[in-house]
Amino acid sequence: MGPEELAIITNPQFINATFQAGESWYHGMLARAREAQALAQRRNSFEAANAQYAIVNQQILAGARQQNEKWKAFANDLVKKHDEYAVLAKRLVDNNEAALNDEMNLKRAAMRQLAEEKARSAEKDVGIARLQNDLSGVRGSLAATQESLTYERQNVAALQAENEKLRAALSAAESDRQRLHEDNAAFLSAADHFEQKCKDLESDLERSQHALQEEEAQTLTLSQDFQNAHLVNEALSSASLSVLPLMEQTRGLWAAQGKPSMMENSLASHCRSDGQPLTVREYLWFATLMREMMAHNVPDHLVSTYCPVAHRGDFLTRPVAIQEKRPD
């Protein structure tokens, strides 16, 4: 290293600018590290709350599904029983109506028999004296027939009353069945509401899990940035300590050869990323910083950020060509 390079390195302005830039960057990295730690703490609390929420949500879902199944089974059982009762009541009504028809047929037969007896009595009016005893028997038979007819009428009335009761019971059963259908519809509507609520809770759980995954990804990114910042900080500190002796040595070599300092001379062999030639001072700094970053395994995109030079692949191995300054 020549005297010019060493002069550049020992220049107070250069040293101050270098260390101020390093300190600013270091403090910025510390602030981001604190933010990453706070975010990690918040993520841990959010993860615990989300886990508790998931457990409660699963319990609510399980309870709602079990209650829904019980309601459906209860409603279906009631409908089935009342349908069977309605069929039985209908059968009893039909049997009673058949019995009533039979009684009415017996009544008509008795009336026809009575009419026939009256006709025979009218035909035998001429021999009424001779048939007095037979007429008494016929009158007794007629009385018995009338008594039987009265009894049958009473039976018919009783059957009609029983039929009316059965019709009322059937109507009540039909009303109960209709009410049960309405209750079942209400139960099914409530079950649908619970299922929709369960779906909403599942959607909330999925959104919470997605948010948790985003928080974890962000925390991982901040952790990686913090680690990379630590590596860059170490590289900057090492480069700052190494470049000053290197520049001083370069300046001493130039002085030993009787040459003026060429720290501010441009290089024909190395340029910035914008195409502008690097000075010798800039080359020494970027070359030292690049070596330190590579030694500390700093990611390539950060090396490009802190060492904005062209053709970085052979930057350290390419021969250095210093342009001579023209006299004014």
mmCIF file with all atom_site columns, all heavy atoms in Angstrom, residues 32-33 35-37 39-40 216-230:
data_model
loop_
_atom_site.group_PDB
_atom_site.id
_atom_site.type_symbol
_atom_site.label_atom_id
_atom_site.label_alt_id
_atom_site.label_comp_id
_atom_site.label_asym_id
_atom_site.label_entity_id
_atom_site.label_seq_id
_atom_site.pdbx_PDB_ins_code
_atom_site.Cartn_x
_atom_site.Cartn_y
_atom_site.Cartn_z
_atom_site.occupancy
_atom_site.B_iso_or_equiv
_atom_site.pdbx_formal_charge
_atom_site.auth_seq_id
_atom_site.auth_comp_id
_atom_site.auth_asym_id
_atom_site.auth_atom_id
_atom_site.pdbx_PDB_model_num
ATOM 1   N N   . ARG A 1 32  ? -34.281 -2.550  14.708 1.00 0.00 ? 32  ARG A N   1
ATOM 2   C CA  . ARG A 1 32  ? -35.039 -3.611  14.039 1.00 0.00 ? 32  ARG A CA  1
ATOM 3   C C   . ARG A 1 32  ? -35.018 -4.908  14.842 1.00 0.00 ? 32  ARG A C   1
ATOM 4   O O   . ARG A 1 32  ? -35.984 -5.671  14.844 1.00 0.00 ? 32  ARG A O   1
ATOM 5   C CB  . ARG A 1 32  ? -34.498 -3.841  12.624 1.00 0.00 ? 32  ARG A CB  1
ATOM 6   C CG  . ARG A 1 32  ? -34.895 -2.729  11.634 1.00 0.00 ? 32  ARG A CG  1
ATOM 7   C CD  . ARG A 1 32  ? -34.588 -3.120  10.205 1.00 0.00 ? 32  ARG A CD  1
ATOM 8   N NE  . ARG A 1 32  ? -33.152 -3.200  9.938  1.00 0.00 ? 32  ARG A NE  1
ATOM 9   C CZ  . ARG A 1 32  ? -32.411 -2.160  9.559  1.00 0.00 ? 32  ARG A CZ  1
ATOM 10  N NH1 . ARG A 1 32  ? -32.980 -0.969  9.393  1.00 0.00 ? 32  ARG A NH1 1
ATOM 11  N NH2 . ARG A 1 32  ? -31.133 -2.291  9.336  1.00 0.00 ? 32  ARG A NH2 1
ATOM 12  N N   . ALA A 1 33  ? -33.897 -5.167  15.536 1.00 0.00 ? 33  ALA A N   1
ATOM 13  C CA  . ALA A 1 33  ? -33.827 -6.376  16.369 1.00 0.00 ? 33  ALA A CA  1
ATOM 14  C C   . ALA A 1 33  ? -34.818 -6.285  17.529 1.00 0.00 ? 33  ALA A C   1
ATOM 15  O O   . ALA A 1 33  ? -35.493 -7.264  17.874 1.00 0.00 ? 33  ALA A O   1
ATOM 16  C CB  . ALA A 1 33  ? -32.407 -6.561  16.890 1.00 0.00 ? 33  ALA A CB  1
ATOM 17  N N   . GLU A 1 35  ? -37.547 -4.563  17.548 1.00 0.00 ? 35  GLU A N   1
ATOM 18  C CA  . GLU A 1 35  ? -38.881 -4.718  16.962 1.00 0.00 ? 35  GLU A CA  1
ATOM 19  C C   . GLU A 1 35  ? -39.178 -6.188  16.681 1.00 0.00 ? 35  GLU A C   1
ATOM 20  O O   . GLU A 1 35  ? -40.294 -6.655  16.908 1.00 0.00 ? 35  GLU A O   1
ATOM 21  C CB  . GLU A 1 35  ? -38.961 -3.917  15.659 1.00 0.00 ? 35  GLU A CB  1
ATOM 22  C CG  . GLU A 1 35  ? -40.328 -3.982  14.981 1.00 0.00 ? 35  GLU A CG  1
ATOM 23  C CD  . GLU A 1 35  ? -40.343 -3.178  13.690 1.00 0.00 ? 35  GLU A CD  1
ATOM 24  O OE1 . GLU A 1 35  ? -39.343 -2.510  13.385 1.00 0.00 ? 35  GLU A OE1 1
ATOM 25  O OE2 . GLU A 1 35  ? -41.378 -3.240  13.000 1.00 0.00 ? 35  GLU A OE2 1
ATOM 26  N N   . ALA A 1 36  ? -38.169 -6.942  16.219 1.00 0.00 ? 36  ALA A N   1
ATOM 27  C CA  . ALA A 1 36  ? -38.364 -8.379  15.959 1.00 0.00 ? 36  ALA A CA  1
ATOM 28  C C   . ALA A 1 36  ? -38.661 -9.125  17.245 1.00 0.00 ? 36  ALA A C   1
ATOM 29  O O   . ALA A 1 36  ? -39.500 -10.028 17.289 1.00 0.00 ? 36  ALA A O   1
ATOM 30  C CB  . ALA A 1 36  ? -37.124 -8.954  15.274 1.00 0.00 ? 36  ALA A CB  1
ATOM 31  N N   . GLN A 1 37  ? -37.946 -8.762  18.354 1.00 0.00 ? 37  GLN A N   1
ATOM 32  C CA  . GLN A 1 37  ? -38.204 -9.422  19.627 1.00 0.00 ? 37  GLN A CA  1
ATOM 33  C C   . GLN A 1 37  ? -39.619 -9.131  20.120 1.00 0.00 ? 37  GLN A C   1
ATOM 34  O O   . GLN A 1 37  ? -40.314 -10.016 20.618 1.00 0.00 ? 37  GLN A O   1
ATOM 35  C CB  . GLN A 1 37  ? -37.185 -8.964  20.667 1.00 0.00 ? 37  GLN A CB  1
ATOM 36  C CG  . GLN A 1 37  ? -35.753 -9.479  20.404 1.00 0.00 ? 37  GLN A CG  1
ATOM 37  C CD  . GLN A 1 37  ? -34.747 -8.936  21.408 1.00 0.00 ? 37  GLN A CD  1
ATOM 38  O OE1 . GLN A 1 37  ? -35.084 -8.078  22.206 1.00 0.00 ? 37  GLN A OE1 1
ATOM 39  N NE2 . GLN A 1 37  ? -33.516 -9.413  21.343 1.00 0.00 ? 37  GLN A NE2 1
ATOM 40  N N   . LEU A 1 39  ? -42.180 -8.372  18.278 1.00 0.00 ? 39  LEU A N   1
ATOM 41  C CA  . LEU A 1 39  ? -43.092 -9.098  17.404 1.00 0.00 ? 39  LEU A CA  1
ATOM 42  C C   . LEU A 1 39  ? -43.148 -10.578 17.752 1.00 0.00 ? 39  LEU A C   1
ATOM 43  O O   . LEU A 1 39  ? -44.207 -11.205 17.719 1.00 0.00 ? 39  LEU A O   1
ATOM 44  C CB  . LEU A 1 39  ? -42.650 -8.918  15.941 1.00 0.00 ? 39  LEU A CB  1
ATOM 45  C CG  . LEU A 1 39  ? -43.522 -9.598  14.886 1.00 0.00 ? 39  LEU A CG  1
ATOM 46  C CD1 . LEU A 1 39  ? -44.939 -9.050  14.958 1.00 0.00 ? 39  LEU A CD1 1
ATOM 47  C CD2 . LEU A 1 39  ? -42.944 -9.385  13.494 1.00 0.00 ? 39  LEU A CD2 1
ATOM 48  N N   . ALA A 1 40  ? -41.988 -11.147 18.143 1.00 0.00 ? 40  ALA A N   1
ATOM 49  C CA  . ALA A 1 40  ? -41.964 -12.567 18.534 1.00 0.00 ? 40  ALA A CA  1
ATOM 50  C C   . ALA A 1 40  ? -42.791 -12.785 19.798 1.00 0.00 ? 40  ALA A C   1
ATOM 51  O O   . ALA A 1 40  ? -43.543 -13.760 19.912 1.00 0.00 ? 40  ALA A O   1
ATOM 52  C CB  . ALA A 1 40  ? -40.522 -13.018 18.745 1.00 0.00 ? 40  ALA A CB  1
ATOM 53  N N   . GLU A 1 216 ? -45.902 -15.793 11.683 1.00 0.00 ? 216 GLU A N   1
ATOM 54  C CA  . GLU A 1 216 ? -44.707 -16.630 11.784 1.00 0.00 ? 216 GLU A CA  1
ATOM 55  C C   . GLU A 1 216 ? -43.736 -16.348 10.648 1.00 0.00 ? 216 GLU A C   1
ATOM 56  O O   . GLU A 1 216 ? -42.519 -16.276 10.858 1.00 0.00 ? 216 GLU A O   1
ATOM 57  C CB  . GLU A 1 216 ? -45.112 -18.105 11.778 1.00 0.00 ? 216 GLU A CB  1
ATOM 58  C CG  . GLU A 1 216 ? -45.818 -18.538 13.052 1.00 0.00 ? 216 GLU A CG  1
ATOM 59  C CD  . GLU A 1 216 ? -46.273 -19.982 12.974 1.00 0.00 ? 216 GLU A CD  1
ATOM 60  O OE1 . GLU A 1 216 ? -46.245 -20.542 11.856 1.00 0.00 ? 216 GLU A OE1 1
ATOM 61  O OE2 . GLU A 1 216 ? -46.647 -20.553 14.028 1.00 0.00 ? 216 GLU A OE2 1
ATOM 62  N N   . ALA A 1 217 ? -44.304 -16.183 9.417  1.00 0.00 ? 217 ALA A N   1
ATOM 63  C CA  . ALA A 1 217 ? -43.433 -15.875 8.287  1.00 0.00 ? 217 ALA A CA  1
ATOM 64  C C   . ALA A 1 217 ? -42.739 -14.528 8.472  1.00 0.00 ? 217 ALA A C   1
ATOM 65  O O   . ALA A 1 217 ? -41.543 -14.368 8.180  1.00 0.00 ? 217 ALA A O   1
ATOM 66  C CB  . ALA A 1 217 ? -44.253 -15.885 6.984  1.00 0.00 ? 217 ALA A CB  1
ATOM 67  N N   . GLN A 1 218 ? -43.513 -13.541 8.974  1.00 0.00 ? 218 GLN A N   1
ATOM 68  C CA  . GLN A 1 218 ? -42.926 -12.221 9.205  1.00 0.00 ? 218 GLN A CA  1
ATOM 69  C C   . GLN A 1 218 ? -41.856 -12.281 10.293 1.00 0.00 ? 218 GLN A C   1
ATOM 70  O O   . GLN A 1 218 ? -40.795 -11.648 10.167 1.00 0.00 ? 218 GLN A O   1
ATOM 71  C CB  . GLN A 1 218 ? -44.031 -11.238 9.604  1.00 0.00 ? 218 GLN A CB  1
ATOM 72  C CG  . GLN A 1 218 ? -43.542 -9.796  9.726  1.00 0.00 ? 218 GLN A CG  1
ATOM 73  C CD  . GLN A 1 218 ? -44.679 -8.847  10.050 1.00 0.00 ? 218 GLN A CD  1
ATOM 74  O OE1 . GLN A 1 218 ? -45.805 -9.270  10.225 1.00 0.00 ? 218 GLN A OE1 1
ATOM 75  N NE2 . GLN A 1 218 ? -44.381 -7.565  10.126 1.00 0.00 ? 218 GLN A NE2 1
ATOM 76  N N   . THR A 1 219 ? -42.142 -13.056 11.349 1.00 0.00 ? 219 THR A N   1
ATOM 77  C CA  . THR A 1 219 ? -41.150 -13.195 12.419 1.00 0.00 ? 219 THR A CA  1
ATOM 78  C C   . THR A 1 219 ? -39.883 -13.874 11.908 1.00 0.00 ? 219 THR A C   1
ATOM 79  O O   . THR A 1 219 ? -38.761 -13.472 12.250 1.00 0.00 ? 219 THR A O   1
ATOM 80  C CB  . THR A 1 219 ? -41.745 -14.007 13.572 1.00 0.00 ? 219 THR A CB  1
ATOM 81  O OG1 . THR A 1 219 ? -42.927 -13.338 14.051 1.00 0.00 ? 219 THR A OG1 1
ATOM 82  C CG2 . THR A 1 219 ? -40.740 -14.146 14.716 1.00 0.00 ? 219 THR A CG2 1
ATOM 83  N N   . LEU A 1 220 ? -40.081 -14.903 11.072 1.00 0.00 ? 220 LEU A N   1
ATOM 84  C CA  . LEU A 1 220 ? -38.921 -15.593 10.502 1.00 0.00 ? 220 LEU A CA  1
ATOM 85  C C   . LEU A 1 220 ? -38.100 -14.654 9.637  1.00 0.00 ? 220 LEU A C   1
ATOM 86  O O   . LEU A 1 220 ? -36.858 -14.655 9.685  1.00 0.00 ? 220 LEU A O   1
ATOM 87  C CB  . LEU A 1 220 ? -39.395 -16.801 9.685  1.00 0.00 ? 220 LEU A CB  1
ATOM 88  C CG  . LEU A 1 220 ? -38.288 -17.638 9.028  1.00 0.00 ? 220 LEU A CG  1
ATOM 89  C CD1 . LEU A 1 220 ? -37.371 -18.224 10.101 1.00 0.00 ? 220 LEU A CD1 1
ATOM 90  C CD2 . LEU A 1 220 ? -38.887 -18.746 8.183  1.00 0.00 ? 220 LEU A CD2 1
ATOM 91  N N   . THR A 1 221 ? -38.824 -13.806 8.856  1.00 0.00 ? 221 THR A N   1
ATOM 92  C CA  . THR A 1 221 ? -38.113 -12.850 8.001  1.00 0.00 ? 221 THR A CA  1
ATOM 93  C C   . THR A 1 221 ? -37.334 -11.841 8.843  1.00 0.00 ? 221 THR A C   1
ATOM 94  O O   . THR A 1 221 ? -36.169 -11.535 8.550  1.00 0.00 ? 221 THR A O   1
ATOM 95  C CB  . THR A 1 221 ? -39.122 -12.114 7.106  1.00 0.00 ? 221 THR A CB  1
ATOM 96  O OG1 . THR A 1 221 ? -39.807 -13.085 6.301  1.00 0.00 ? 221 THR A OG1 1
ATOM 97  C CG2 . THR A 1 221 ? -38.411 -11.126 6.197  1.00 0.00 ? 221 THR A CG2 1
ATOM 98  N N   . LEU A 1 222 ? -37.981 -11.324 9.909  1.00 0.00 ? 222 LEU A N   1
ATOM 99  C CA  . LEU A 1 222 ? -37.288 -10.368 10.772 1.00 0.00 ? 222 LEU A CA  1
ATOM 100 C C   . LEU A 1 222 ? -36.088 -11.012 11.484 1.00 0.00 ? 222 LEU A C   1
ATOM 101 O O   . LEU A 1 222 ? -35.044 -10.381 11.657 1.00 0.00 ? 222 LEU A O   1
ATOM 102 C CB  . LEU A 1 222 ? -38.260 -9.804  11.808 1.00 0.00 ? 222 LEU A CB  1
ATOM 103 C CG  . LEU A 1 222 ? -39.335 -8.848  11.258 1.00 0.00 ? 222 LEU A CG  1
ATOM 104 C CD1 . LEU A 1 222 ? -40.314 -8.486  12.356 1.00 0.00 ? 222 LEU A CD1 1
ATOM 105 C CD2 . LEU A 1 222 ? -38.696 -7.608  10.671 1.00 0.00 ? 222 LEU A CD2 1
ATOM 106 N N   . SER A 1 223 ? -36.274 -12.278 11.870 1.00 0.00 ? 223 SER A N   1
ATOM 107 C CA  . SER A 1 223 ? -35.160 -12.973 12.511 1.00 0.00 ? 223 SER A CA  1
ATOM 108 C C   . SER A 1 223 ? -33.985 -13.143 11.547 1.00 0.00 ? 223 SER A C   1
ATOM 109 O O   . SER A 1 223 ? -32.828 -12.950 11.920 1.00 0.00 ? 223 SER A O   1
ATOM 110 C CB  . SER A 1 223 ? -35.634 -14.341 13.017 1.00 0.00 ? 223 SER A CB  1
ATOM 111 O OG  . SER A 1 223 ? -34.552 -15.047 13.582 1.00 0.00 ? 223 SER A OG  1
ATOM 112 N N   . GLN A 1 224 ? -34.326 -13.483 10.285 1.00 0.00 ? 224 GLN A N   1
ATOM 113 C CA  . GLN A 1 224 ? -33.258 -13.622 9.288  1.00 0.00 ? 224 GLN A CA  1
ATOM 114 C C   . GLN A 1 224 ? -32.594 -12.274 9.017  1.00 0.00 ? 224 GLN A C   1
ATOM 115 O O   . GLN A 1 224 ? -31.363 -12.191 8.867  1.00 0.00 ? 224 GLN A O   1
ATOM 116 C CB  . GLN A 1 224 ? -33.850 -14.196 7.993  1.00 0.00 ? 224 GLN A CB  1
ATOM 117 C CG  . GLN A 1 224 ? -32.807 -14.568 6.947  1.00 0.00 ? 224 GLN A CG  1
ATOM 118 C CD  . GLN A 1 224 ? -31.918 -15.707 7.419  1.00 0.00 ? 224 GLN A CD  1
ATOM 119 O OE1 . GLN A 1 224 ? -32.370 -16.621 8.073  1.00 0.00 ? 224 GLN A OE1 1
ATOM 120 N NE2 . GLN A 1 224 ? -30.634 -15.627 7.089  1.00 0.00 ? 224 GLN A NE2 1
ATOM 121 N N   . ASP A 1 225 ? -33.439 -11.210 8.952  1.00 0.00 ? 225 ASP A N   1
ATOM 122 C CA  . ASP A 1 225 ? -32.865 -9.869  8.735  1.00 0.00 ? 225 ASP A CA  1
ATOM 123 C C   . ASP A 1 225 ? -31.952 -9.476  9.897  1.00 0.00 ? 225 ASP A C   1
ATOM 124 O O   . ASP A 1 225 ? -30.892 -8.871  9.693  1.00 0.00 ? 225 ASP A O   1
ATOM 125 C CB  . ASP A 1 225 ? -33.994 -8.839  8.593  1.00 0.00 ? 225 ASP A CB  1
ATOM 126 C CG  . ASP A 1 225 ? -34.754 -9.024  7.295  1.00 0.00 ? 225 ASP A CG  1
ATOM 127 O OD1 . ASP A 1 225 ? -34.224 -9.714  6.394  1.00 0.00 ? 225 ASP A OD1 1
ATOM 128 O OD2 . ASP A 1 225 ? -35.871 -8.509  7.185  1.00 0.00 ? 225 ASP A OD2 1
ATOM 129 N N   . PHE A 1 226 ? -32.382 -9.817  11.123 1.00 0.00 ? 226 PHE A N   1
ATOM 130 C CA  . PHE A 1 226 ? -31.553 -9.498  12.287 1.00 0.00 ? 226 PHE A CA  1
ATOM 131 C C   . PHE A 1 226 ? -30.232 -10.251 12.236 1.00 0.00 ? 226 PHE A C   1
ATOM 132 O O   . PHE A 1 226 ? -29.166 -9.684  12.519 1.00 0.00 ? 226 PHE A O   1
ATOM 133 C CB  . PHE A 1 226 ? -32.318 -9.851  13.567 1.00 0.00 ? 226 PHE A CB  1
ATOM 134 C CG  . PHE A 1 226 ? -31.521 -9.617  14.820 1.00 0.00 ? 226 PHE A CG  1
ATOM 135 C CD1 . PHE A 1 226 ? -31.271 -8.334  15.281 1.00 0.00 ? 226 PHE A CD1 1
ATOM 136 C CD2 . PHE A 1 226 ? -30.999 -10.692 15.522 1.00 0.00 ? 226 PHE A CD2 1
ATOM 137 C CE1 . PHE A 1 226 ? -30.531 -8.125  16.435 1.00 0.00 ? 226 PHE A CE1 1
ATOM 138 C CE2 . PHE A 1 226 ? -30.246 -10.492 16.670 1.00 0.00 ? 226 PHE A CE2 1
ATOM 139 C CZ  . PHE A 1 226 ? -30.021 -9.201  17.124 1.00 0.00 ? 226 PHE A CZ  1
ATOM 140 N N   . GLN A 1 227 ? -30.287 -11.527 11.852 1.00 0.00 ? 227 GLN A N   1
ATOM 141 C CA  . GLN A 1 227 ? -29.063 -12.313 11.747 1.00 0.00 ? 227 GLN A CA  1
ATOM 142 C C   . GLN A 1 227 ? -28.139 -11.755 10.660 1.00 0.00 ? 227 GLN A C   1
ATOM 143 O O   . GLN A 1 227 ? -26.926 -11.625 10.857 1.00 0.00 ? 227 GLN A O   1
ATOM 144 C CB  . GLN A 1 227 ? -29.412 -13.776 11.455 1.00 0.00 ? 227 GLN A CB  1
ATOM 145 C CG  . GLN A 1 227 ? -28.196 -14.696 11.396 1.00 0.00 ? 227 GLN A CG  1
ATOM 146 C CD  . GLN A 1 227 ? -28.596 -16.131 11.132 1.00 0.00 ? 227 GLN A CD  1
ATOM 147 O OE1 . GLN A 1 227 ? -29.780 -16.429 10.976 1.00 0.00 ? 227 GLN A OE1 1
ATOM 148 N NE2 . GLN A 1 227 ? -27.625 -17.014 11.075 1.00 0.00 ? 227 GLN A NE2 1
ATOM 149 N N   . ASN A 1 228 ? -28.767 -11.411 9.506  1.00 0.00 ? 228 ASN A N   1
ATOM 150 C CA  . ASN A 1 228 ? -27.962 -10.836 8.422  1.00 0.00 ? 228 ASN A CA  1
ATOM 151 C C   . ASN A 1 228 ? -27.364 -9.492  8.834  1.00 0.00 ? 228 ASN A C   1
ATOM 152 O O   . ASN A 1 228 ? -26.222 -9.172  8.503  1.00 0.00 ? 228 ASN A O   1
ATOM 153 C CB  . ASN A 1 228 ? -28.827 -10.665 7.171  1.00 0.00 ? 228 ASN A CB  1
ATOM 154 C CG  . ASN A 1 228 ? -29.227 -12.002 6.577  1.00 0.00 ? 228 ASN A CG  1
ATOM 155 O OD1 . ASN A 1 228 ? -28.553 -13.012 6.799  1.00 0.00 ? 228 ASN A OD1 1
ATOM 156 N ND2 . ASN A 1 228 ? -30.318 -12.031 5.834  1.00 0.00 ? 228 ASN A ND2 1
ATOM 157 N N   . ALA A 1 229 ? -28.163 -8.707  9.579  1.00 0.00 ? 229 ALA A N   1
ATOM 158 C CA  . ALA A 1 229 ? -27.660 -7.411  10.041 1.00 0.00 ? 229 ALA A CA  1
ATOM 159 C C   . ALA A 1 229 ? -26.475 -7.596  10.986 1.00 0.00 ? 229 ALA A C   1
ATOM 160 O O   . ALA A 1 229 ? -25.511 -6.823  10.951 1.00 0.00 ? 229 ALA A O   1
ATOM 161 C CB  . ALA A 1 229 ? -28.781 -6.643  10.745 1.00 0.00 ? 229 ALA A CB  1
ATOM 162 N N   . HIS A 1 230 ? -26.566 -8.634  11.829 1.00 0.00 ? 230 HIS A N   1
ATOM 163 C CA  . HIS A 1 230 ? -25.440 -8.906  12.734 1.00 0.00 ? 230 HIS A CA  1
ATOM 164 C C   . HIS A 1 230 ? -24.187 -9.276  11.939 1.00 0.00 ? 230 HIS A C   1
ATOM 165 O O   . HIS A 1 230 ? -23.078 -8.810  12.257 1.00 0.00 ? 230 HIS A O   1
ATOM 166 C CB  . HIS A 1 230 ? -25.831 -10.048 13.675 1.00 0.00 ? 230 HIS A CB  1
ATOM 167 C CG  . HIS A 1 230 ? -24.750 -10.399 14.654 1.00 0.00 ? 230 HIS A CG  1
ATOM 168 N ND1 . HIS A 1 230 ? -24.362 -9.555  15.684 1.00 0.00 ? 230 HIS A ND1 1
ATOM 169 C CD2 . HIS A 1 230 ? -23.959 -11.508 14.757 1.00 0.00 ? 230 HIS A CD2 1
ATOM 170 C CE1 . HIS A 1 230 ? -23.382 -10.130 16.375 1.00 0.00 ? 230 HIS A CE1 1
ATOM 171 N NE2 . HIS A 1 230 ? -23.123 -11.318 15.823 1.00 0.00 ? 230 HIS A NE2 1
#
